[in-house]
Amino acid sequence: MIESQPLRNAKLPPPVEPGGEPKQPHLIIRPSSGWAALNLRQIWLYRDLLMTLALRDVKLRYRQTALGAIWVVLQPLLGAGVLSFVFNRVADVPTGDAPAFLFAFVGMLAFTAFSSTLTKASSSLVGNAQLVSKVFFPRLVLPLSTVLSTLVDFAVSLTVLFVLMLLYRIAPGPQLLLLPLWLGLILLLSLGCGLIAGALMVSYRDVQYVLPVVVNLLTFASPVAYAASFAASKLPDGLQPFYFILNPLAGLLEAFRWSVLGGGEVQWGYVAYSSVFALLLFLAGAFAFRKMERKFADVI
Amino acid sequence: MSSKDIAVSVRGLSKSYTIAHNVEKHSTMGEAMLHRFKNPLQRAEKETFWALRDVEFDIEQGDVVGIIGRNGAGKSTLLKILSQITEPTKGEIKLYGRVGSLLEVGTGFHPELTGRENIFLNGAILGMRRAEIDKQFDAIVDFSEVENFLDTPVKRYSSGMYVRLAFAVAAHLNPEILIIDEVLAVGDAEFQKKCLGKMQDVSSREGKTVVFVSHNMGAVRGLCSSAIWLKNGQLLDYGPTSTVINSYLSSSAEHSKGFIDLKQEPRLHGWGERFKICGLSLNNGMPLMHGQPVSVAINFESTGSIQDVVVGLGISTLEGVRLLTYESRYLGENKDINQNTKGTISAQMECYLHPGQYSLDIGAGAGDTEVIDYLPACSIIEILPGPNTPHGLYDTFASVRLPAEWNWVTTQ
């Protein structure tokens, strides 16, 4: 038993060590306001959680599906088949030297990396509402952990791509080494969008319904099955740059395809613009997320 | 105060929530914008609700402190702030040690994953490092008693196994300050005992500080050296467990004479406004006496129509052990309730509870499975000795004293 009396309204001095120096607390909890630091150190401390959650997503993805990993292969193949048929055969859009199917497949590969990260990252908070309201951890871990399952899918599709290139007898050039750079930038861009969308989705579930529509529109508005320069050339004079400026994904998709297939007319100015845009959007998304995350547990 | 070190120091802690009135809550952006557009000058009528107000206390290292109070007193909010899930509006907390919190058993358990996979997932979620889990893995499995089903997806587990595994992971969390919310309300009695034992171990042998919220006064009495009593977000009392619990219980008994108003009580279960038990009166306000008839009248309101409604009462000891259950479907009839109905269901019974204090649970269901309203431990009732009650030391007997027909046969 301790000899404590009711402590109501007692103003106590801070705890003091025998030596007379106030003891350092392990943690101080206070209300905060304004912008918060990203606190990467804390995310690093929780890296095991990040990995565990990422592995959970990968494992769960194909458990209790009959065809398992085959879906990862089939999805881009079917997508590329339909797109190349519509754009190349029906609409007669040129794809340069590259075979139309391969052209569309590479586009799909890059676009899927973007769209699946965006979709998964943005729904990661609402999908794990129980965790958010019951456990403390750096909230950024949730959207970041979704990247791994996208990467696994990407690796599988990339293997399929190399098999296709072998069949078409197309050898990649040295520019292939830049592929990870473009992939990284595409992921930053989609994470930037995903962080903002995810944070908004906590309060407004509309985002959940709007996002698939946006992704769907983007499939056609982005140079997935056609070359960006071809689409831009169809716009009235003077408006061509807007094709690239309004859709920062365009420059990155072009660069990605150039890395794999070579050739084509890549407009490097716009690629640089897209790259800077991706970096800034990611940072803006991360800071906005950190600012909004204080309300998550109360609102979700 | 003694010269022991402080583990948790809370100063001026307040937390407010904003509740919008009049205006329906906008859960879509469109609604919110449309409303703004139609009523550009209207300010939403907002009320600030203080879930915690100016709470201050210190907890010494190695203390086990129970937090008690009625539903909505701010207990859970306090735990959520202590575990950094939500931020305080004002004030400051200093924590001298690594914090681990356990607000729910099995948070993040995934039904499709196996027991083994869930141990790693749940451990990581609770903040354990992979190496720590590896080290503790055998102990966790041992404690959970599910070693034969480690590679079975937990969706095939019985609820008992599920809870055991979940608690086992949590029990091997290794913080210096442990924050626990009502997790012992689950599992069978034997396992609960094991969990309580583990918690006792944690504090007494390993010298850890434990902050523990519970409605189970028995558990608080058994585990905690001191208790904090919260009421309407304010700290009402902090001191030795038995003193605080006694004054808490007598204040609860005080307010429950006659009509018990339950309309505004916060609910954790049920269908909300669709069916609500508004209150009950016991014996029209006359004292309840052992061996005497008791009448109960329960008022309810509904906004929707519900089939097959059942109402029930439960009487438990203050330690939380259920003694008696009364249900309207036992020797009564289920009732179909129409929209926007107000009604009363009344019952007559004989009271054979021992004189003393008991806790009252009340609930309603639809059919055999749906809980449409449930208020556990919503009030404390006091039973007085009746005219025929034998005098003596009541406390040393069981909680129910029943009549029987007695016949002596003697031979010489």
Side-chain angles (χ1 to χ4, degrees):
Chain A
M1 272 297 145
I2 58 161
E3 69 285 22
S4 82
Q5 295 122 14
L7 291 177
R8 181 157 41 130
N9 297 330
K11 290 273 181 268
L12 298 170
V16 171
E17 285 269 63
E21 287 295 302
K23 199 170 74 163
Q24 276 307 307
H26 198 269
L27 178 74
I28 300 182
I29 301 173
R30 284 199 183 106
S32 60
S33 60
W35 299 96
L38 288 185
N39 209 346
L40 296 176
R41 202 180 72 89
Q42 201 181 40
I43 294 176
W44 176 245
L45 282 176
Y46 276 81
R47 61 189 180 277
D48 283 352
L49 177 62
L50 188 76
M51 272 318 280
T52 314
L53 285 175
L55 286 173
R56 175 192 71 172
D57 288 349
V58 174
K59 277 183 198 158
L60 284 175
R61 184 100 194 261
Y62 297 102
R63 216 161 260 195
Q64 286 213 348
T65 56
L67 293 182
I70 295 174
W71 288 118
V72 192
V73 180
L74 275 181
Q75 276 165 10
L77 280 177
L78 292 173
V82 170
L83 282 180
S84 63
F85 175 76
V86 171
F87 278 92
N88 193 252
R89 289 291 159 86
V90 179
D92 218 13
V93 174
T95 57
D97 300 334
F101 179 72
L102 200 58
F103 187 94
F105 189 86
V106 179
M108 274 301 283
L109 187 58
F111 186 80
T112 309
F114 173 85
S115 65
S116 90
T117 305
L118 172 57
T119 313
K120 286 181 204 158
S122 61
S123 58
S124 62
L125 289 166
V126 173
N128 289 292
Q130 201 205 8
L131 290 190
V132 174
S133 59
K134 292 286 182 191
V135 198
F136 164 77
F137 54 89
R139 306 305 188 202
L140 274 169
V141 162
L142 281 175
L144 292 181
S145 74
T146 62
V147 174
L148 184 76
S149 73
T150 305
L151 284 178
V152 171
D153 288 1
F154 181 84
V156 174
S157 304
L158 197 65
T159 318
V160 176
L161 173 67
F162 289 141
V163 173
L164 283 174
M165 288 172 77
L166 212 65
L167 292 176
Y168 280 106
R169 296 179 189 287
I170 294 173
Q175 69 271 30
L176 188 68
L177 294 175
L178 283 175
L179 197 71
L181 174 67
W182 311 128
L183 176 65
L185 286 166
I186 290 172
L187 291 180
L188 284 183
L189 186 67
S190 63
L191 272 175
C193 302
L195 289 174
I196 295 171
L200 283 176
M201 203 188 282
V202 172
S203 307
Y204 298 104
R205 298 292 147 92
D206 312 50
V207 181
Q208 212 168 347
Y209 307 114
V210 173
L211 217 54
V213 179
V214 172
V215 168
N216 220 337
L217 290 177
L218 265 182
T219 319
F220 296 98
S222 307
V224 175
Y226 55 82
S229 51
F230 178 78
S233 71
K234 297 286 176 192
L235 289 172
D237 278 344
L239 290 182
Q240 279 101 336
F242 285 100
Y243 180 77
F244 292 95
I245 290 168
L246 289 177
N247 183 1
L249 188 57
L252 294 175
L253 288 182
E254 287 288 280
F256 185 93
R257 187 153 40 217
W258 165 80
S259 254
V260 179
L261 298 176
E265 320 158 34
V266 182
Q267 308 198 37
W268 292 105
Y270 293 128
V271 175
Y273 159 78
S274 296
S275 306
V276 173
F277 192 98
L279 264 171
L280 291 180
L281 187 74
F282 174 72
L283 287 175
F287 278 103
F289 186 94
R290 286 279 293 158
K291 190 172 156 70
M292 289 190 271
E293 77 176 7
R294 290 183 205 117
K295 280 196 315 183
F296 287 172
D298 296 337
V299 178
I300 205 161
Chain B
M1 292 240 97
S2 72
S3 60
K4 276 204 280 182
D5 282 342
I6 300 290
V8 181
S9 150
V10 175
R11 290 289 171 277
L13 191 72
S14 305
K15 170 86 181 174
S16 69
Y17 290 98
T18 317
I19 315 167
H21 278 298
N22 255 339
V23 202
E24 328 79 78
K25 192 180 174 295
H26 303 297
S27 61
T28 72
M29 241 184 282
E31 267 175 44
M33 285 194 285
L34 193 68
H35 190 87
R36 229 349 48 145
F37 189 70
K38 281 185 185 159
N39 311 282
L41 296 177
Q42 188 199 17
R43 305 272 300 188
E45 265 184 55
K46 282 183 181 159
E47 190 191 305
T48 312
F49 166 74
W50 290 91
L52 285 177
R53 218 180 309 190
D54 214 19
V55 171
E56 307 206 337
F57 58 85
D58 281 333
I59 296 175
E60 290 177 355
Q61 227 147 52
D63 264 6
V64 183
V65 176
I67 298 180
I68 57 176
R70 295 160 63 80
N71 287 337
K75 304 184 300 278
S76 299
T77 308
L78 178 59
L79 287 203
K80 277 194 176 179
I81 297 174
L82 280 172
S83 12
Q84 285 181 272
I85 291 166
T86 180
E87 282 191 349
T89 313
K90 277 190 248 165
E92 185 182 83
I93 299 176
K94 287 187 179 142
L95 295 160
Y96 299 84
R98 199 161 82 107
V99 183
S101 65
L102 193 52
L103 300 197
E104 188 183 57
V105 164
T107 318
F109 258 48
H110 200 288
E112 295 287 344
L113 296 176
T114 66
R116 185 188 305 275
E117 288 165 333
N118 269 310
I119 290 179
F120 283 100
L121 177 62
N122 192 232
I125 286 170
L126 294 176
M128 287 162 95
R129 301 293 319 277
R130 170 89 196 192
E132 271 177 80
I133 308 173
D134 277 331
K135 214 174 78 188
Q136 302 257 40
F137 188 81
D138 291 336
I140 293 174
V141 174
D142 213 41
F143 190 89
S144 71
E145 305 164 12
V146 297
E147 51 269 63
N148 293 333
F149 304 95
L150 267 189
D151 295 306
T152 311
V154 297
K155 65 177 174 185
R156 309 211 194 287
Y157 279 29
S158 72
S159 56
M161 287 159 68
Y162 185 94
V163 166
R164 282 209 298 275
L165 183 65
F167 191 88
V169 182
H172 291 80
L173 201 65
N174 215 5
E176 286 141 330
I177 302 168
L178 186 60
I179 295 167
I180 305 178
D181 193 3
E182 201 86 77
V183 288
L184 297 164
V186 289
D188 51 55
E190 199 182 328
F191 189 71
Q192 279 194 20
K193 217 184 265 174
K194 196 168 163 182
C195 298
L196 287 171
K198 178 77 188 172
M199 280 175 58
Q200 230 147 14
D201 259 22
V202 162
S203 63
S204 61
R205 211 153 40 87
E206 301 166 28
K208 285 185 184 145
T209 312
V210 181
V211 182
F212 173 52
V213 160
S214 183
H215 285 109
N216 182 338
M217 293 302 145
V220 175
R221 254 191 238 273
L223 280 173
C224 305
S225 49
S226 41
I228 289 175
W229 174 13
L230 289 181
K231 189 179 181 185
N232 300 330
Q234 284 172 308
L235 193 147
L236 220 59
D237 202 358
Y238 180 19
T241 311
S242 51
T243 322
V244 177
I245 288 189
N246 286 345
S247 49
Y248 166 66
L249 290 180
S250 45
S251 96
S252 302
E254 196 77 8
H255 98 283
S256 70
K257 277 175 189 154
F259 184 74
I260 304 168
D261 187 1
L262 299 172
K263 205 164 176 182
Q264 306 301 331
E265 283 292 300
R267 263 63 168 184
L268 295 171
H269 312 270
W271 289 0
E273 293 300 323
R274 214 171 136 197
F275 185 93
K276 213 168 192 183
I277 292 169
C278 306
L280 78 161
S281 75
L282 287 167
N283 249 5
N284 293 318
M286 300 302 285
L288 310 174
M289 283 195 253
H290 172 251
Q292 300 295 300
V294 170
S295 68
V296 180
I298 298 167
N299 304 338
F300 56 84
E301 278 177 25
S302 72
T303 57
S305 70
I306 306 168
Q307 307 261 299
D308 255 352
V309 174
V310 180
V311 173
L313 279 179
I315 311 267
S316 308
T317 64
L318 297 181
E319 277 71 34
V321 180
R322 175 67 73 84
L323 299 171
L324 303 173
T325 301
Y326 294 102
E327 277 184 321
S328 64
R329 63 179 163 183
Y330 178 49
L331 299 184
E333 275 173 0
N334 290 4
K335 177 94 176 154
D336 295 342
I337 306 280
N338 293 328
Q339 257 181 323
N340 300 322
T341 307
K342 286 186 182 180
T344 307
I345 175 169
S346 54
Q348 302 290 329
M349 51 194 83
E350 296 281 312
C351 172
Y352 292 115
L353 288 165
H354 238 297
Q357 289 185 329
Y358 299 89
S359 134
L360 184 71
D361 311 333
I362 186 162
D368 289 337
T369 51
E370 288 290 334
V371 174
I372 59 179
D373 199 6
Y374 181 47
L375 291 141
C378 63
S379 187
I380 308 277
I381 54 173
E382 174 128 36
I383 310 290
L384 303 175
N388 302 321
T389 310
H391 297 281
L393 295 164
Y394 305 131
D395 291 355
T396 53
F397 295 98
S399 305
V400 180
R401 182 180 287 251
L402 295 173
E405 273 190 35
W406 301 91
N407 289 299
W408 293 93
V409 178
T410 52
T411 48
Q412 222 81 93

